[in-house]
Amino acid sequence: MASPEFVKKLGISGCGADLSCLVFPISQMPLAFFPGHFIPKNLTTPPRPQRLYTANVLTGRSGERQAITMDFSPSKNQEQVKRKARRFVEEHVLPKADKWDKTNKFPMDAWRELAKAGLTGIPIPRKYGGGGHDVVSYVLAVEEISKGSAALGVTLAVHTSLVSQPLLWFGNEQQKMHYLRPLAQGRQFGSFCLTEPVAGSDVASMESKATLKGDHYIIKGRKYFIMNAPLASTYLVFAMTDRSMAHRGISCFVVERDMPGVKIGKIFDKMGIRSSLASEVIFDDVRVPAESMLGRAGDGFKIAMEALDCGRISIAAQACGIAQASLDAAIQYSKTRVQFGRPIADQQALRWMIADMATDIEAARLLTHKAARITDIGKRHTKEAAMAKLFAASTAVEAARKALQIHGGYGYMTDLPLERYYRDAKITEIYEGTSEIQRLVISNDLL
Ligand code: CAA
């Protein structure tokens, strides 16, 4: 066990850590753990830990002790989910992703395979048809899937984080049994209807309204850029129930596709993620029972924000997938492409690009996994999700740009997926809150 002096030297005293929780033998501590590379006298051989370190600390909640493992390797279960996603991608995505993109076609067959593999409700409890895994496993899978197809990645991310998870957290038992089960099993698609033509970043300025008439609400409004909408049968719809209360007057409803008055409007022709579907959805006096409300009247804004706190982590994972696919392609190409009598990988300019890409991807992934882990232990993760999305999105854009540059003319042609990565990466800086909104969220937390 560590002495109090030693803990002080490590700079972790006063952070709520219990000395008895320092469970690692000193010989297994990494050099990097010692501030300024200070090495204790009794340490004769350099430590070679398999894992960085594992320390149990207090959560900070009074009297409650919970293990927060600071461990950078996935658990056996997380690794299994990741491997399953990778196998799915190799078999069902990589051979066809370019074709899906070029034909603007959603890959329904691949979705069915995804459902068969149990990957359409990864963090949803088994009781409701899901995989019963943690959020870290889920983001590992979203990254793998997005490496093959960012379009399929976002379809899964919106379906899971923006629809299934809010249903799990805010739904009553009846709503969960009725809506969540088919969603988690991938038999139905979910869609999140928040954005409007005049209300993008400024959610509270929405015009859609829901008026109580007896025991029903009448929903009227128009939602824009709604991912998955043409595929979905379950919509989470946000509408004003009391305009005088501003954002506190927004409520959330579960609306079914076949309710009279639900119409799919324009299907958008997008720059990237072309095989995912986004459309306008019109709610033309849609009559929904009062019990279709998710949570209570006026909870809508917070439900949307909490859903987005999770959604942003999944978009960060999607961005990591695009960035990793770009880096993999860049490494492979630069080792085989010969110019001036040697592989272009021998050029320092390229080596630096590859080193920078790899370093940024690693950092983006760590931020993403940290935000996912905080979600798993049930703590608020608004800032961490925003940081992960902000950093991972710019990493994806930059990695795709560098990888395309390394490929030169070949990268610009549609024969290779580089231009697809480049187009796909851009949206990660826009949807589920632009990078400017992420900076606002982060600074709101800090100031
Ligand atoms: N969790 C819980 N509560 C939250 C919260 C969060 N993350 N963020 C804010 N709140 C609460 C605040 O505490 C505050 O509570 P009170 O009413 O008790 O005071 C309330 O919500 C209002 O907060 P703000 O004053 O900060 O709200 P705001 O109107 O200034 O907006 C914003 C804040 C961060 C700009 C927010 O509007 C936002 O995130 N905008 C971006 C919207 C967005 O991401 N849209 C994406 C559309 S969906 C999409 O893209 C899906 C897709 O297709 C892939």
Side-chain angles (χ1 to χ4, degrees):
M1 195 201 296
S3 72
E5 290 72 25
F6 182 65
V7 170
K8 209 166 165 193
K9 201 164 260 173
L10 291 179
I12 58 174
S13 63
C15 68
D18 180 335
L19 298 188
S20 64
C21 292
L22 293 174
V23 291
F24 41 78
I26 193 156
S27 62
Q28 284 184 13
M29 293 180 81
L31 284 174
F33 198 68
F34 298 103
H37 296 286
F38 159 75
I39 302 172
K41 284 194 181 99
N42 62 350
L43 199 66
T44 46
T45 49
R48 286 201 189 88
Q50 275 212 312
R51 292 170 162 190
L52 271 186
Y53 65 95
T54 302
N56 291 335
V57 297
L58 294 177
T59 57
R61 289 188 203 126
S62 63
E64 187 189 341
R65 186 185 298 255
Q66 189 178 349
I68 302 175
T69 51
M70 196 155 175
D71 181 346
F72 299 103
S73 49
S75 69
K76 217 167 138 191
N77 188 54
Q78 290 161 350
E79 193 58 55
Q80 267 170 5
V81 175
K82 179 176 161 168
R83 266 207 304 273
K84 196 192 266 192
R86 184 169 289 180
R87 266 201 311 275
F88 160 78
V89 168
E90 282 164 3
E91 254 182 74
H92 301 287
V93 178
L94 289 178
K96 301 177 197 152
D98 272 327
K99 193 169 160 217
W100 299 336
D101 182 73
K102 289 191 176 88
T103 54
N104 247 0
K105 190 170 173 290
F106 178 75
M108 192 58 83
D109 289 349
W111 178 266
R112 289 200 190 100
E113 292 297 335
L114 195 67
K116 228 193 272 173
L119 295 171
T120 46
I122 299 168
I124 305 301
R126 284 170 194 264
K127 179 181 172 193
Y128 301 116
H133 302 289
D134 57 12
V135 177
V136 173
S137 303
Y138 164 59
V139 300
L140 289 169
V142 172
E143 178 179 339
E144 286 303 318
I145 292 163
S146 303
K147 243 158 80 179
S149 163
L152 192 57
V154 69
T155 303
L156 176 67
V158 168
H159 173 83
T160 309
S161 299
L162 296 187
V163 185
S164 296
Q165 284 190 310
L167 272 169
L168 176 68
W169 296 324
F170 299 100
N172 57 39
E173 199 53 28
Q174 203 192 345
Q175 288 168 330
K176 286 189 226 183
M177 288 318 257
H178 187 69
Y179 295 108
L180 188 49
R181 193 159 249 287
L183 290 172
Q185 291 173 339
R187 289 186 281 122
Q188 292 181 359
F189 288 88
S191 186
F192 180 80
C193 301
L194 181 70
T195 302
E196 298 185 3
V198 295
S201 297
D202 183 7
V203 172
S205 68
M206 70 172 57
E207 291 180 337
S208 294
K209 59 178 186 182
T211 315
L212 187 61
K213 289 244 164 82
D215 56 0
H216 280 71
Y217 278 92
I218 310 296
I219 303 178
K220 192 162 189 62
R222 205 166 139 230
K223 300 289 179 176
Y224 230 46
F225 306 141
I226 305 302
M227 296 297 307
N228 295 0
L231 302 163
S233 46
T234 303
Y235 300 92
L236 292 192
V237 182
F238 296 86
M240 281 283 181
T241 44
D242 185 350
R243 196 165 296 282
S244 69
M245 299 283 285
H247 69 270
R248 291 184 186 166
I250 296 173
S251 302
C252 177
F253 297 88
V254 191
V255 177
E256 297 172 20
R257 169 75 179 92
D258 52 12
M259 285 176 165
V262 178
K263 297 175 200 156
I264 297 297
K266 173 180 172 159
I267 297 188
F268 293 97
D269 190 14
K270 306 185 286 334
M271 166 182 166
I273 51 164
R274 289 178 67 79
S275 57
S276 64
L277 294 176
S279 76
E280 179 184 20
V281 194
I282 298 144
F283 299 93
D284 191 4
D285 287 338
V286 178
R287 196 165 175 267
V288 297
E291 57 268 24
S292 301
M293 189 179 278
L294 197 64
R296 290 164 309 172
D299 282 352
F301 191 87
K302 287 195 182 176
I303 293 176
M305 291 302 122
E306 289 193 28
L308 285 165
D309 283 347
C310 280
R312 287 167 185 165
I313 304 173
S314 63
I315 298 304
Q318 182 206 24
C320 289
I322 300 168
Q324 186 64 52
S326 303
L327 175 63
D328 291 347
I331 290 174
Q332 203 190 5
Y333 183 78
S334 59
K335 287 204 290 199
T336 52
R337 171 74 169 165
V338 174
Q339 291 289 277
F340 304 107
R342 52 191 180 145
I344 58 171
D346 283 357
Q347 304 290 348
Q348 191 185 48
L350 263 73
R351 298 181 81 89
W352 285 23
M353 277 198 223
I354 283 173
D356 287 346
M357 286 158 80
T359 306
D360 285 350
I361 293 169
E362 191 66 17
R365 194 175 281 131
L366 286 172
L367 283 171
T368 306
H369 294 181
K370 181 182 174 191
R373 177 73 185 126
I374 295 174
T375 314
D376 278 326
I377 60 171
K379 288 179 83 176
R380 185 155 175 186
H381 49 271
T382 303
K383 180 187 71 183
E384 288 77 9
M387 284 178 164
K389 180 178 183 288
L390 173 66
F391 192 79
S394 74
T395 296
V397 169
E398 196 49 21
R401 189 191 69 75
K402 286 192 175 112
L404 196 152
Q405 187 69 15
I406 287 170
H407 282 75
Y410 289 103
Y412 196 71
M413 303 303 154
T414 60
D415 300 343
L416 293 180
L418 277 302
E419 57 84 34
R420 169 161 65 91
Y421 301 155
Y422 190 68
R423 288 184 285 106
D424 287 352
K426 183 60 203 166
I427 190 63
T428 64
E429 292 188 317
I430 298 172
Y431 57 21
E432 303 210 17
T434 61
S435 292
E436 292 69 29
I437 288 294
Q438 305 313 320
R439 289 186 172 94
L440 185 74
V441 170
I442 296 163
S443 58
N444 279 350
D445 187 277
L446 296 171
L447 297 169

